[in-house]
Amino acid sequence: TVLGVFYASGMAKAGRRELASACGALEPSRYNARLGRVPRPAVPFMASTYDGRQAWLDAYKGKVVFLNFWASWCPPCVREIPSLERLQRELDGEDDFAMLAVSSDSGWSEVRGFFAGGTNLTVLLDPPTGERGSGPIALSYGSEKLPETYLIDKHGNVRYYFINARDWDSAHALRCIRGLLEE
C-alpha cells in the first residue's frame, strides 16, 4: 500500500507538470492588475444571454469555465473567434466544460450582426459604461484591452489568464483545457 501511495502521488505531480507545460506553452500572465496573482477566486457576475435570460457564473461551479472577453469592433477578437468556435465544437461532449464569450459591444444588434450565421458559443452581453470600451464585468476582471481569456477551474479559481488572442483549438490549448478537466 505504501508503494501505491507513492505511485499515485508521483502520477499526480506528473499530471500537474504536464498541465503546467501545456498551459505554459500558451504564455499565460501570472499577474492581473485587478485580481493580483493567479490562481485567484473568480469574480462572480450576472449577464444577459442572447435570448434575454440571465446567466450567473456561479451556475457553472464544478465545471471548467473558459471565460473570454471580446467585442465585435476589436480586430484581434474577430481573428480569435473562429478558434473559439472550433474549440467549442471539439469539447462539445464535455459535460464539465463551459465556454462563455462575454461581449463588450453596446447592444445585441452588434453581436447578432457579427454572428449573422449563428454560433455555437454561449454569448453574454457586458455593454460598456462611460468612456471605456469594456463593460463592468470585464473591468471587474481587470480586462480593459480585448481579447482576454480566463480559465477557471472546477473549484471556481482563475487558474490561467491570457492577454490578447490565441489559437484556442491548438494542441497546446486542448491539452491545457483537458488537463483542467481531468483534475
Side-chain angles (χ1 to χ4, degrees):
T1 60
V2 172
L3 287 176
V5 169
F6 282 122
Y7 177 77
S9 174
M11 292 302 292
K13 287 177 186 173
R16 284 191 299 274
R17 279 193 304 273
E18 185 175 318
L19 172 64
S21 174
C23 295
L26 298 169
E27 301 177 5
S29 295
R30 293 285 177 205
Y31 182 80
N32 173 292
R34 179 83 170 165
L35 300 178
R37 264 188 133 10
V38 294
R40 294 292 276 196
V43 178
F45 65 83
M46 189 253 322
S48 66
T49 64
Y50 238 33
D51 57 6
R53 291 181 295 129
Q54 300 299 313
W56 287 265
L57 180 62
D58 289 347
Y60 296 95
K61 282 240 167 120
K63 295 182 181 235
V64 171
V65 177
F66 182 102
L67 177 62
N68 178 266
F69 293 103
W70 72 285
S72 65
W73 45 260
C74 160
C77 301
V78 171
R79 288 190 300 273
E80 182 181 56
I81 289 289
S83 76
L84 296 180
E85 291 181 311
R86 289 188 300 269
L87 174 66
Q88 179 62 46
R89 279 192 296 276
E90 178 72 26
L91 297 175
D92 191 35
E94 296 286 345
D95 291 333
D96 50 355
F97 177 75
M99 181 179 286
L100 305 176
V102 182
S103 172
S104 284
D105 283 290
S106 59
W108 282 113
S109 61
E110 293 93 343
V111 176
R112 286 189 177 101
F114 183 82
F115 291 115
T119 184
N120 61 341
L121 300 174
T122 300
V123 181
L124 305 175
L125 187 62
D126 181 32
T129 56
E131 297 175 16
R132 294 186 164 173
S134 295
I137 298 168
L139 293 174
S140 74
Y141 275 81
S143 293
E144 294 185 27
K145 297 178 182 166
L146 304 174
E148 289 192 5
T149 300
Y150 299 79
L151 290 181
I152 302 169
D153 67 20
K154 294 177 182 179
H155 304 288
N157 295 307
V158 173
R159 290 281 293 279
Y160 296 99
Y161 161 58
F162 303 92
I163 301 168
N164 213 336
R166 299 288 189 283
D167 181 10
W168 288 111
D169 61 336
S170 70
H172 289 300
L174 288 167
R175 275 197 306 274
C176 175
I177 293 166
R178 285 198 169 112
L180 286 171
L181 288 167
E182 291 171 6
E183 288 187 337

